[in-house]
Amino acid sequence: MYQTHQIWVKKGHRMHGYFKEMCQNAKNIYNTTNFYIRQIFTGLTQERELQPLQREVLKNIQKHIPKINDHQLSIYQKKVDKEKAKPVEKRKEIKCHLFEEPSK
């Protein structure tokens, strides 16, 4: 069960600009993510040659996945080190979640 609250901030309020910008940024991220998902899905499910935007999206993913996985590994290592400092009976199992490139 979810519960939501709505807060109205009028234009004259000092935080209005900040909230407006954050909402716009969230909307842009949502739209960009959906664009990437569409390009990958259509690019990998069609038999034809990839369109320029599909190639660009896949190239961006290939370029950035190693950086993202390096970051994931560093976070994993920090968590492992933190768990090692705890007594054995209080340690949690830590898993490393690495990303893979999309495939058919």
Side-chain angles (χ1 to χ4, degrees), residues 84-97:
K84 284 182 181 178
K86 295 180 181 178
V88 177
E89 62 276 357
K90 291 191 176 185
R91 291 182 187 170
K92 297 177 185 173
E93 182 182 349
I94 306 294
K95 293 183 181 179
C96 185
H97 303 285

Side-chain angles (χ1 to χ4, degrees), residues 9 13 49 51 53 56 60 68 73 84 97:
V9 179
H13 192 276
E49 185 179 336
Q51 298 293 319
L53 287 175
E56 182 181 340
N60 275 340
I68 294 169
L73 283 170
K84 284 182 181 178
H97 303 285

Side-chain angles (χ1 to χ4, degrees), residues 8-23:
W8 287 71
V9 179
K10 294 182 180 183
K11 279 190 178 180
H13 192 276
R14 66 185 178 97
M15 296 295 288
H16 181 266
Y18 172 77
F19 292 137
K20 185 176 179 180
E21 183 180 353
M22 289 299 110
C23 289

Side-chain angles (χ1 to χ4, degrees), residues 40-51:
I40 292 167
F41 181 77
T42 58
L44 296 179
T45 57
Q46 69 185 9
E47 297 300 323
R48 296 177 295 188
E49 185 179 336
L50 294 176
Q51 298 293 319

Side-chain angles (χ1 to χ4, degrees), residues 23-83:
C23 289
Q24 184 65 42
N25 290 343
K27 188 170 99 176
N28 289 344
I29 290 171
Y30 177 82
N31 288 337
T32 301
T33 303
N34 280 338
F35 171 77
Y36 266 61
I37 291 168
R38 270 194 316 275
Q39 295 304 313
I40 292 167
F41 181 77
T42 58
L44 296 179
T45 57
Q46 69 185 9
E47 297 300 323
R48 296 177 295 188
E49 185 179 336
L50 294 176
Q51 298 293 319
L53 287 175
Q54 292 168 337
R55 277 195 298 273
E56 182 181 340
V57 165
L58 288 170
K59 201 179 294 183
N60 275 340
I61 290 172
Q62 289 172 346
K63 177 182 174 185
H64 290 96
I65 281 196
K67 295 175 189 175
I68 294 169
N69 282 338
D70 288 344
H71 183 70
Q72 289 289 93
L73 283 170
S74 69
I75 290 171
Y76 169 75
Q77 192 58 48
K78 287 177 186 175
K79 287 181 180 181
V80 166
D81 293 342
K82 191 175 181 180
E83 288 298 315

